[in-house]
Amino acid sequence: MLDSTENQLKYCLYARKSSESDERQAMSIDSQLAEMRALAENEGLNIVCELQESHSAKDSGQRPVYNKLLEGLRNEEYNAVLTWAPDRLSRNAGDLGSVVDLMDQKKLLHIRTFSQTFTNNPNEKFLLMILCSQAKLENDNKSINVKRGIRSKCEMGWRPGVAPLGYMNRAFGGVNDIIPDPERADLIREAFNKAGNEGYSGRKVKAWLDKEGLTNRSGKPISLSQILVILSTPFYYGKFQYPEGPDQPWYQGAHKPLISKELYDLVQQTRGVNKGVWGSKTFAFRGLMSCGRCGADITAQEKFKKLKSGEYKRHVYYNCTRRKDPNCKEKYINQTNLCILLQEFIEVNHKKIKISDKLRARVEKHYYMTQSFMDHYKVEKDLSKPIVEYSRYVLSKGTEGEMLALNNGIQTKLKIKNGELKFMTK
């Protein structure tokens, strides 16, 4: 083991800079290196390696280069550290413990900073621990103060961060507030109106907004996913949650709402059978067939018609995505007519249609239950074609889930052209 005489010390020069706000006043890495190299030259210190990184020291064991520094000390590649200040080494209890432990093992014999030295001396180790603990205390206090400030801002009604599209951040008199964006607010308001009162789907809202020229702050048309987020954001009617998540508090915003709470609720009610994220819908026969004209996929969309009773009736339509041919002429077909078309196709072609084992089990279960019912009530009916009987039941009386199961169980690829179903040919 090397003894602690100065000319036998081998130094690792370690420089660190964090981009986080609590260390913005710290010297840059280049400045640290320049100052410590000059110090080493003046004092004749033997630097055997240099390590540098840009990483916060708040959390223990998270700095890859710092971990490499400790490993080099354990392997006796060097036995001293040259760094700008104690807080470059540690701002948390875990990393401080690693440093002190290496000093106790006599593998770290000397720490040299710009203004201080620390050796394996009880008083100097104690001072090192105080300085690093003070850095941790500053971190903890800043975190508490920042959270307190954010909470106070929320309680005043001002949402932290960048305002949602349709609003803009404004600073005046030392106060940041959020005001409607004169270029976008009216379009966002009308998007809610079309989604709620006119039953527009997310894709139709996007098409309308693209036509109106709405763009994000980068000047690009907003995506469908951005539209779905907008239409499910309570901020537009005046409330917000910060931070977002379960059991997080809600705040009444001080900003001007773009829409009413009633319109927001109406949009959420017209999301379809799936009550998840706005726009996440279940369509029973999506993926069943392709377009027989251009070969593109067949997609689905829903529309809602407001009844005199105030309730909404859901209508589902299937149409070509037109991704292969934007001018494809294949017309849409509603789900009711598609069920009739599919039933007729199964009745004629049931022997050629391949189905999954899971669907076959459903067919057989339905067959035996139907047969038992008929035997009990002495009803005569032809059950020689179980898949035909099962599909007839599902397509006329089945639930959305049963229709989806039928779709998933049909393994033969189909296409639709001129409103007729056909087998997909290779």
Side-chain angles (χ1 to χ4, degrees):
M1 176 67 63
L2 294 168
D3 53 44
S4 59
T5 58
E6 189 75 15
N7 58 1
Q8 291 178 318
L9 293 174
K10 295 186 292 183
Y11 285 86
C12 175
L13 172 54
Y14 176 75
R16 180 185 66 81
K17 177 72 171 71
S18 172
S19 60
E20 295 190 12
S21 59
D22 64 324
E23 292 189 355
R24 286 178 181 170
Q25 303 304 317
M27 293 180 65
S28 69
I29 288 179
D30 290 341
S31 299
Q32 293 177 46
L33 292 173
E35 291 286 345
M36 301 316 294
R37 285 168 184 161
L39 176 65
E41 184 176 354
N42 290 336
E43 298 186 3
L45 305 182
N46 178 26
I47 298 178
V48 297
C49 73
E50 292 185 1
L51 297 174
Q52 56 180 287
E53 66 182 330
S54 297
H55 206 291
S56 171
K58 288 182 178 180
D59 299 321
S60 173
Q62 300 302 309
R63 291 177 285 162
V65 178
Y66 181 76
N67 293 336
K68 183 178 179 181
L69 168 70
L70 298 180
E71 190 64 26
L73 289 167
R74 295 187 185 100
N75 296 334
E76 300 186 5
E77 298 172 14
Y78 36 82
N79 55 9
V81 174
L82 178 62
T83 192
W84 173 252
D87 66 357
R88 299 301 86 196
L89 294 177
S90 172
R91 296 173 75 91
N92 66 79
D95 289 344
L96 174 59
S98 298
V99 170
V100 174
D101 186 53
L102 286 167
M103 297 179 80
D104 290 340
Q105 296 176 37
K106 295 184 172 50
K107 291 189 175 183
L108 175 54
L109 304 178
H110 195 258
I111 298 176
R112 181 69 167 97
T113 69
F114 184 77
S115 59
Q116 293 168 299
T117 61
F118 304 93
T119 65
N120 190 25
N121 174 289
N123 291 332
E124 292 181 7
K125 281 195 297 185
F126 182 65
L127 178 59
L128 175 66
M129 294 170 68
I130 289 177
L131 293 174
C132 291
S133 297
Q134 183 180 11
K136 173 173 171 52
L137 178 62
E138 291 175 357
N139 275 339
D140 293 345
N141 284 335
K142 285 176 181 177
S143 177
I144 292 173
N145 291 336
V146 168
K147 290 179 180 178
R148 183 187 298 117
I150 290 176
R151 186 168 61 250
S152 297
K153 183 176 181 180
C154 290
E155 290 171 350
M156 293 171 61
W158 301 119
R159 177 183 178 274
V162 179
L165 200 68
Y167 287 92
M168 56 192 302
N169 297 89
R170 181 182 66 172
F172 70 99
V175 178
N176 293 319
D177 70 344
I178 298 175
I179 61 174
D181 184 339
E183 296 181 0
R184 298 182 175 92
D186 289 342
L187 290 175
I188 296 295
R189 183 184 296 111
E190 185 60 22
F192 272 96
N193 180 61
K194 289 187 176 298
N197 292 320
E198 300 182 35
Y200 273 37
S201 66
R203 294 183 186 278
K204 192 170 182 180
V205 170
K206 172 173 169 53
W208 178 79
L209 289 174
D210 288 344
K211 182 179 179 181
E212 294 296 321
L214 179 68
T215 62
N216 59 26
R217 294 185 177 94
S218 300
K220 298 179 180 179
I222 58 176
S223 65
L224 177 60
S225 61
Q226 286 178 299
I227 292 172
L228 301 183
V229 169
I230 288 172
L231 294 173
S232 61
T233 299
F235 187 87
Y236 293 100
Y237 77 80
K239 298 195 74 173
F240 65 92
Q241 188 183 37
Y242 193 89
E244 295 182 0
D247 303 323
Q248 296 298 332
W250 285 86
Y251 301 95
Q252 181 63 50
H255 60 283
K256 180 180 178 180
L258 294 187
I259 62 171
S260 66
K261 175 66 162 56
E262 291 72 22
L263 178 56
Y264 176 83
D265 289 341
L266 179 59
V267 171
Q268 309 316 303
Q269 291 169 8
T270 57
R271 291 177 303 174
V273 296
N274 233 348
K275 296 299 182 181
V277 177
W278 198 97
S280 61
K281 308 174 182 71
T282 298
F283 297 107
F285 301 110
R286 187 159 59 183
L288 174 67
M289 54 202 166
S290 299
C291 177
R293 287 182 180 269
C294 67
D297 292 333
I298 294 294
T299 188
Q301 56 184 299
E302 62 184 6
K303 297 181 184 294
F304 292 87
K305 183 177 181 181
K306 191 173 184 179
L307 306 178
K308 292 183 179 180
S309 63
E311 297 182 349
Y312 285 84
K313 184 175 181 180
R314 179 177 182 251
H315 298 273
V316 178
Y317 298 88
Y318 294 83
N319 61 278
C320 176
T321 61
R322 294 180 173 82
R323 290 181 179 174
K324 293 188 177 182
D325 179 6
N327 299 313
C328 180
K329 302 299 183 181
E330 185 63 33
K331 297 181 179 180
Y332 67 83
I333 181 171
N334 65 40
Q335 184 162 299
T336 300
N337 290 338
L338 179 60
C339 287
I340 296 172
L341 190 65
L342 183 58
Q343 179 57 43
E344 293 174 349
F345 184 82
I346 293 175
E347 289 182 359
V348 175
N349 301 285
H350 64 93
K351 292 183 179 181
K352 300 177 183 179
I353 297 175
K354 295 181 180 179
I355 64 174
S356 67
D357 291 340
K358 191 171 184 179
L359 177 58
R360 183 172 288 104
R362 285 176 172 266
V363 171
E364 292 175 354
K365 181 178 179 181
H366 176 80
Y367 171 81
Y368 288 117
M369 290 179 63
T370 305
Q371 184 66 60
S372 298
F373 175 85
M374 291 167 57
D375 290 344
H376 180 76
Y377 289 100
K378 301 187 184 321
V379 177
E380 293 186 3
K381 190 174 182 180
D382 180 16
L383 291 180
S384 60
K385 304 171 183 175
I387 182 62
V388 173
E389 174 61 30
Y390 176 75
S391 63
R392 185 180 292 120
Y393 156 73
V394 170
L395 295 171
S396 62
K397 302 176 182 178
T399 64
E400 193 84 9
E402 289 173 325
M403 291 183 184
L404 183 62
L406 176 64
N407 173 25
N408 293 337
I410 296 177
Q411 298 180 329
T412 304
K413 295 186 178 299
L414 306 178
K415 64 180 179 180
I416 185 168
K417 184 177 181 180
N418 296 328
E420 294 184 9
L421 281 176
K422 299 180 180 180
F423 287 110
M424 179 72 73
T425 55
K426 295 183 180 180

